[in-house]
Amino acid sequence: MKEYNSFQKKFMKSLANIQDFCVQNALCQKWQCVEDMLYDVTADVIIAILENIDGYGDMEKFDVVCCDTKETLKQNPHIELHDVICEYIKGV
């Protein structure tokens, strides 16, 4: 197993927790079709990851930076990722 720094470990553990929560939550729901279930579960996972980046999960607030352009995902204009994602994905 590779050695990870503390931030990497915390981030990976957070992703594992998100997956577990979303799967367990989906198992408690009644679905009319598999497609609806898949859109809802993947939407929940995406939103939870973005909440973490925005600082609302079990991580500190952080940002994503493009290595080529140095643009940040959350600035110019400032956005909360989990607030705007619902305009783009199904299942919410």
Side-chain angles (χ1 to χ4, degrees):
M1 183 175 202
K2 282 187 161 188
E3 289 294 319
Y4 300 102
N5 67 41
S6 61
F7 179 65
Q8 290 168 331
K9 287 179 192 176
K10 188 173 183 179
F11 184 72
M12 296 304 170
K13 180 67 175 159
S14 176
L15 293 178
N17 289 340
I18 288 169
Q19 180 187 37
D20 187 53
F21 175 81
C22 291
V23 167
Q24 296 306 315
N25 188 48
L27 291 172
C28 296
Q29 308 296 318
K30 293 186 191 247
W31 304 99
Q32 293 189 6
C33 71
V34 173
E35 183 179 17
D36 289 345
M37 177 191 66
L38 292 172
Y39 277 121
D40 285 352
V41 171
T42 56
D44 287 347
V45 169
I46 291 166
I47 292 167
I49 290 170
L50 296 180
E51 285 173 340
N52 264 4
I53 293 171
D54 288 338
Y56 295 100
D58 55 2
M59 298 285 300
E60 296 81 14
K61 183 183 276 193
F62 61 99
D63 203 347
V64 177
V65 178
C66 176
C67 293
D68 293 334
T69 66
K70 307 301 184 232
E71 287 181 296
T72 68
L73 195 56
K74 295 175 51 70
Q75 301 299 325
N76 299 322
H78 174 78
I79 59 174
E80 293 289 309
L81 298 170
H82 74 282
D83 287 338
V84 299
I85 192 60
C86 296
E87 299 172 27
Y88 294 91
I89 60 174
K90 297 178 184 177
V92 290

